[in-house]
Amino acid sequence: MSTTPERSQSSSPVLHAGADGETSGASATSENDSDLDSTLRAGPIRNICCVGAGYVGGPTAAVIAFKNPHIKVTVVDKDQNRIRRWNSRHPPIYEPGLGEMVRVSRDGLPASKQDKKPVQQPNLFFSTDVSRCISDADIVIIAVNTPTKSRGAGAGSATDMTAFEAVTAEVVQHARLGAIIVEKSTVPCRTAELVEDMVSTHRPGAHFEILSNPEFLAAGTAVQDLLRPDRVIIGSASTPEGRSAAESLAKVYAAWVDRSKILTINLFSSELAKLVANSMLAQRLSSINSISAICEATGAEIREVATSIGTDTRIGEKFLRAGIGFGGSCFKKDVLSLVYLAESLGLKEVGEFWRQVVIMNEYQRNRFTCRVIKCLNNTLVNKKVTILGYAFKKNTSDTRDSPALEIVKTLLEENPREIAIFDPCCNPLVIKGEIRALCGFGNALGDDGGAVKVYTNAYEACAASNAVLVVTEFDEFRNTKPSAPATQSKPFPAPATEVKQQQSFPDEEHFNPEPVCASDCPDCEIEKTTSVPVAVMKIYKPQEQLDWTRIAHGMRQPKWLFDGRCIIDAKEMTRLGIRVESIGSSGFSSVDTS
Ligand code: UGA
């Protein structure tokens, strides 16, 4: 089957091959590519197609479209439900600031009489017509899931390339000649060779420039990370055509990113850099978490240790908050991918070194849960335990690989009266769905006769509880003032306030109306039956901090609080009659209550 349009056989509207006719390819040479050859001509990009409408594709496409109103950006996905939701007032993911950005680029803006701004035409589209949109694009960005393989060779550490391979096959069959193919997904080092091989299999004789452009956005700050990146990495072949392709993509980013932050390097360095960046961050967390165990045993305070070492500019203060271990869809899988790479290269010691990062992470989570059970006299029978926070980090509704789920699983084995869960950002239906699917306890949920209940109100969740566990570091859960203001007029986390000012989004009444949902919209139906909208983005703003006096009042004696995120002031809690156990502190008995 070849649905490739005829015009694809003509010369590229994007790339102008080097005069010497040198062929390009994925072969990354050691030649220094860091400076783009300004003599290479990179044609204008008018159409970008992003394949994969998930956590990476959605926000990345939205920011590219927002910053490049002259470029048509289409996000495609074969998942009809996901695309329907992007095209509705129920986007499938919550990210601070993303809603406004999508509304401007997807729905356009009416002319503003006040500041005489002209009409802004829509330039962001979401579609299931995958092959057509690929064939229209000057740049095709592949942003699909690359999880860890769960079975077969390399299960548990190798990257599952099923989705990437399937999408790449479609891309190389339908892309117009001269289009640039961009690996945005996190992939093993040398994946560009796989792409090249697929070109020669599915499109013999054709040639596409392949770029690696890894993403560095984090859940909860995705828009901010995209708007103000530390760096943009573009890996290309070191041929004139490769560098020209890199320059074409660099120009897209240069619409808002300083040129000095756009690094062009060789393809394989770029692929590896992404894995190493995440692995180093994860390793840093496992390092500080390992020290937290020493603190608990010695009376040293992990927060003081972290502050003390973080002031050394060579170490730096970020990513030193000890906790119950890292979660999320990326760190574990990327460290394991690095382990697999090292092992498959015969570098056993290197693999073992990185594997220890994951082992330490699991140890840390289990240590926390064991401490809870031990403090509760090794039995949870007839006891209620409340979990505050289910997302893997604050300001996100992302629950993928959240430590909360593993903690719930372990606590359930102790046969408690109830495990209450409250999260200010996650949709309760999503939490329930995960517990049902992953707990493996049959009837774990209260709805099915089990012990787990999901609440939409923190006070109800904590009422008559024997122990409260702070599992996510939402500012609402603190008992001291957070370093940044918790309540803002728009759903941006504090550091994004600056970004908001730069963007000057219009007020609600100046947006074009959002698309109207069909009468049988399943998300509207869900909203009717739950108090939390499917698109939490519209209503979620960091809420008022919890009134811990009220919570303490409703708890059962002896009242326990287990701080898994180092955000609770134990002294304050002790005054309320609550015993506090914090990661990296030696426990309530050592707190000076005078
Ligand atoms: C991470 C990276 O930070 C991004 O740069 C990268 O693009 C992304 O993975 C990805 O590959 O997609 P993310 O997992 O979304 O982003 O979130 P992080 O902020 O890195 O947090 C990861 C985990 O570490 C969370 O569970 C968080 O609670 C934990 N963490 C973070 C700590 O326990 N302590 C800290 O000091 C910081």
Side-chain angles (χ1 to χ4, degrees):
M1 176 192 75
S2 171
T3 54
T4 312
E6 238 178 293
R7 68 175 182 280
S8 70
Q9 302 307 319
S10 66
S11 67
S12 165
V14 181
L15 293 179
H16 305 265
D20 56 1
E22 188 181 347
T23 54
S24 61
S27 51
T29 70
S30 58
E31 191 183 321
N32 182 359
D33 296 342
S34 59
D35 286 321
L36 283 172
D37 181 349
S38 56
T39 60
L40 286 168
R41 294 165 299 137
I45 299 297
R46 299 267 172 241
N47 190 317
I48 293 178
C49 174
C50 176
V51 190
Y55 273 88
V56 172
T60 306
V63 173
I64 290 177
F66 185 80
K67 289 293 184 182
N68 292 277
H70 59 287
I71 298 180
K72 177 180 178 184
V73 181
T74 310
V75 186
V76 296
D77 203 301
K78 64 180 186 330
D79 184 335
Q80 292 187 354
N81 202 32
R82 200 182 269 183
I83 292 298
R84 174 189 61 73
R85 292 184 69 191
W86 278 114
N87 279 323
S88 78
R89 59 186 189 83
H90 316 281
I93 60 170
Y94 164 74
E95 275 298 331
L98 181 60
E100 287 92 337
M101 216 152 253
V102 168
R103 285 192 66 181
V104 170
S105 305
R106 182 195 61 191
D107 305 336
L109 280 181
S112 162
K113 283 185 197 128
Q114 247 172 357
D115 50 16
K116 297 195 178 111
K117 276 193 183 154
V119 174
Q120 187 168 325
Q121 296 297 343
N123 70 324
L124 176 64
F125 304 90
F126 298 91
S127 169
T128 51
D129 195 348
V130 179
S131 52
R132 187 187 56 78
C133 295
I134 289 172
S135 69
D136 285 345
D138 303 320
I139 293 182
V140 184
I141 299 174
I142 302 177
V144 294
N145 247 359
T146 46
T148 304
K149 264 183 101 170
S150 58
R151 53 192 297 190
S157 57
T159 303
D160 183 346
M161 298 292 280
T162 311
F164 186 88
E165 189 193 47
V167 162
T168 303
E170 191 144 12
V171 170
V172 302
Q173 284 174 72
H174 298 291
R176 60 162 82 157
L177 286 184
I180 299 166
I181 298 175
V182 179
E183 300 169 356
K184 177 65 84 177
S185 303
T186 303
V187 288
C189 190
R190 298 188 84 91
T191 294
E193 281 181 342
L194 177 150
V195 179
E196 276 214 324
D197 188 49
M198 293 189 75
V199 174
S200 51
T201 306
H202 294 287
R203 200 88 176 264
H207 173 78
F208 298 100
E209 284 306 321
I210 299 155
L211 301 178
S212 158
N213 174 220
E215 54 85 17
F216 296 101
L217 58 88
T221 53
V223 172
Q224 188 195 333
D225 296 338
L226 282 159
L227 287 175
R228 308 189 64 185
D230 288 339
R231 75 311 205 182
V232 169
I233 291 182
I234 301 175
S236 73
S238 38
T239 56
E241 292 86 350
R243 290 202 297 270
S244 177
E247 171 62 7
S248 293
L249 184 59
K251 278 184 178 158
V252 173
Y253 284 105
W256 77 96
V257 180
D258 195 276
R259 274 283 176 162
S260 64
K261 290 188 171 177
I262 303 176
L263 310 180
T264 52
I265 58 176
N266 99 29
L267 257 171
F268 302 148
S269 307
S270 173
E271 290 171 345
L272 186 60
K274 165 67 193 190
L275 283 187
V276 175
N278 272 2
S279 300
M280 295 280 273
L281 289 169
Q283 174 259 318
R284 198 170 151 94
L285 294 178
S286 278
S287 297
I288 197 73
N289 285 337
S290 75
I291 302 303
S292 74
I294 295 182
C295 288
E296 287 163 35
T298 56
E301 282 287 335
I302 193 65
R303 282 183 267 199
E304 292 176 356
V305 174
T307 307
S308 305
I309 61 168
T311 48
D312 184 329
T313 50
R314 291 168 303 175
I315 296 175
E317 61 179 7
K318 292 183 182 163
F319 261 71
L320 282 181
R321 199 187 61 248
I324 45 177
F326 55 79
S329 60
C330 305
F331 281 177
K332 185 175 169 189
K333 99 176 156 64
D334 290 350
V335 175
L336 290 173
S337 175
L338 192 62
V339 169
Y340 183 77
L341 177 68
E343 284 173 353
S344 48
L345 293 170
L347 305 169
K348 186 169 148 279
E349 287 79 1
V350 178
E352 276 170 9
F353 173 81
W354 287 105
R355 192 180 286 283
Q356 196 57 34
V357 170
V358 174
I359 293 172
M360 180 55 61
N361 197 52
E362 281 158 13
Y363 166 75
Q364 182 75 353
R365 192 187 58 229
N366 294 339
R367 228 166 48 74
F368 179 72
T369 322
C370 288
R371 195 170 172 193
V372 173
I373 296 167
K374 192 171 162 218
C375 286
L376 294 173
N377 299 329
N378 270 327
T379 173
L380 297 191
V381 175
N382 287 327
K383 291 176 186 166
K384 174 177 173 181
V385 176
T386 303
I387 308 272
L388 289 184
Y390 189 83
F392 82 98
K393 58 184 269 195
K394 75 172 182 179
N395 288 347
T396 177
S397 56
D398 191 344
T399 60
R400 289 175 298 171
D401 258 319
S402 172
L405 182 65
E406 288 302 320
I407 290 173
V408 169
K409 270 179 167 175
T410 310
L411 294 178
L412 265 178
E413 298 204 40
E414 299 291 328
N415 198 17
R417 182 177 89 245
E418 180 179 339
I419 295 181
I421 299 176
F422 168 77
D423 186 290
C425 196
C426 293
N427 184 334
L429 293 176
V430 172
I431 300 178
K432 284 185 184 180
E434 275 202 7
I435 303 246
R436 253 196 203 109
L438 299 172
C439 252
F441 277 84
N443 300 331
L445 274 180
D447 298 356
D448 309 327
V452 183
K453 290 191 186 155
V454 184
Y455 290 79
T456 53
N457 177 301
Y459 299 104
E460 285 170 20
C462 294
S465 201
N466 299 82
V468 174
L469 277 54
V470 176
V471 170
T472 310
E473 71 281 17
F474 281 103
D475 288 341
E476 290 93 318
F477 302 156
R478 290 176 184 272
N479 63 338
T480 52
K481 284 257 166 291
S483 43
T487 312
Q488 292 150 38
S489 56
K490 289 215 175 169
F492 275 100
T497 313
E498 243 176 84
V499 175
K500 192 182 85 183
Q501 281 161 358
Q502 285 174 9
Q503 297 317 318
S504 64
F505 286 125
D507 291 330
E508 175 66 33
E509 64 268 24
H510 293 120
F511 279 118
N512 273 330
E514 286 186 276
V516 178
C517 291
S519 57
D520 59 350
C521 168
D523 296 320
C524 289
E525 277 307 306
I526 290 171
E527 280 186 10
K528 278 183 207 154
T529 56
T530 165
S531 56
V532 180
V534 172
V536 207
M537 63 195 301
K538 279 222 201 80
I539 61 127
Y540 177 69
K541 295 172 198 159
Q543 310 289 312
E544 295 271 302
Q545 278 182 236
L546 294 183
D547 177 354
W548 280 99
T549 311
R550 185 173 161 195
I551 290 179
H553 186 71
M555 286 177 72
R556 289 217 176 139
Q557 292 283 5
K559 306 167 185 185
W560 286 98
L561 187 138
F562 297 90
D563 177 11
R565 293 295 191 161
C566 292
I567 60 165
I568 295 293
D569 180 337
K571 234 173 169 181
E572 285 296 315
M573 265 324 159
T574 312
R575 288 202 184 99
L576 300 176
I578 298 181
R579 299 174 174 185
V580 178
E581 295 284 323
S582 293
I583 291 277
S585 293
S586 48
F588 90 98
S589 54
S590 67
V591 174
D592 174 10
T593 54
S594 60

